Amino acid sequence: QVQLVQSGAEVKKPGASVRVSCKGSGYSFNTYGISWVRQAPGQGLEWMGWISTYNLNTDYAQNLQGRVTITTDTSTSTAYMELRSLRSDDTAVYYCARDQRLSPNDYYDYLDYWGQGTLVTVSS
Amino acid sequence: QSALTQPRSVSGSPGQSVTISCTGTSSDVGGYNYVSWYQQHPDKAPKLMIYDVTKRPSGVPDRFSGSKSGNTASLTISGLQAEDEADYYCCSYAGSSYVFGTGTKVTVL
């Protein structure tokens, strides 16, 4: 069965960086993209960015450009999301999700499998 | 990119139908048939319920249905059940990104 398993909770100080991992299994990892979505406490879902596991193209949300980097290691079927210069309002649960979009020429369509989520707490 | 607009909450008794609206613009919901809906129970990851406006993934009950008219998409839950109580989010293609809705809490009375 398709699974995305994320790394554990993190506590960081303002200004620090965090890297969250997402390991896929049960499918051919390089035939689907990966998107990252975050959810602040009590708030809605916010798309952060996407990576093609095929050609490593990326897209990022405008409001996070310059602070977020999404990478992938296809040899281990793992995607990573790094967020830098952390602020208190970056405190959220971070999810990875399997994305139908594999090529920059494709549309953003839907996210069919999600990781369990990783809580990142930013606090001094 | 502004979030799509959803009602904050809707409610219904078991067996009734409820409909959640999702209003965007011609640059997202109205411009493409790439609207999806996600169900989220407390402290759980979102689950895909509808994609491409009307399609249901395998395993999703047929009491969930989607539609779209102009810039507004809708999710209807027919024959409401206790386990349908959750938050629901719409999502649309928006050019170079996804845009999510503000979220709707469905309460089963």
Side-chain angles (χ1 to χ4, degrees), chain A residues 26-40:
Chain A
Y27 72 101
S28 296
F29 188 72
N30 63 351
T31 60
Y32 294 86
I34 293 285
S35 270
W36 287 86
V37 175
R38 69 179 179 177
Q39 185 172 36

Side-chain angles (χ1 to χ4, degrees), chain A residues 2-19:
Chain A
V2 174
Q3 277 194 305
L4 295 171
V5 178
Q6 300 182 220
S7 50
E10 303 263 12
V11 179
K12 296 291 183 181
K13 293 194 182 305
S17 298
V18 68
R19 191 172 85 149

Side-chain angles (χ1 to χ4, degrees), chain B residues 52-104:
Chain B
D52 294 352
V53 179
T54 61
K55 298 175 182 175
R56 262 190 327 275
S58 173
V60 172
D62 61 6
R63 64 178 185 274
F64 290 88
S65 62
S67 63
K68 190 184 86 167
S69 178
N71 295 337
T72 299
S74 299
L75 174 72
T76 298
I77 310 173
S78 306
L80 201 60
Q81 298 187 6
E83 60 261 37
D84 299 334
E85 184 161 297
D87 293 327
Y88 292 82
Y89 293 91
C90 61
C91 181
S92 174
Y93 171 75
S96 58
S97 67
Y98 286 105
V99 59
F100 283 96
T102 49
T104 298

Side-chain angles (χ1 to χ4, degrees), chain B residues 1-64:
Chain B
Q1 188 70 45
S2 298
L4 307 175
T5 301
Q6 297 180 232
R8 186 172 287 269
S9 64
V10 299
S11 61
S13 299
Q16 287 187 329
S17 293
V18 296
T19 296
I20 304 167
S21 61
C22 169
T23 301
T25 69
S26 58
S27 296
D28 39 63
V29 173
Y32 311 93
N33 288 324
Y34 295 114
V35 176
S36 51
W37 289 88
Y38 301 87
Q39 175 192 65
Q40 188 179 33
H41 287 109
D43 298 321
K44 298 292 186 185
K47 175 187 175 183
L48 177 68
M49 305 301 284
I50 295 287
Y51 66 98
D52 294 352
V53 179
T54 61
K55 298 175 182 175
R56 262 190 327 275
S58 173
V60 172
D62 61 6
R63 64 178 185 274
F64 290 88

Side-chain angles (χ1 to χ4, degrees), chain A residues 86-114:
Chain A
L86 288 168
R87 310 186 292 244
S88 57
D89 62 357
D90 291 318
T91 293
V93 176
Y94 289 74
Y95 295 101
C96 63
R98 192 175 81 165
D99 197 320
Q100 300 302 299
R101 186 184 197 229
L102 186 62
S103 161
N105 297 322
D106 297 333
Y107 290 97
Y108 281 107
D109 196 349
Y110 58 94
L111 306 170
D112 59 352
Y113 289 91
W114 294 63

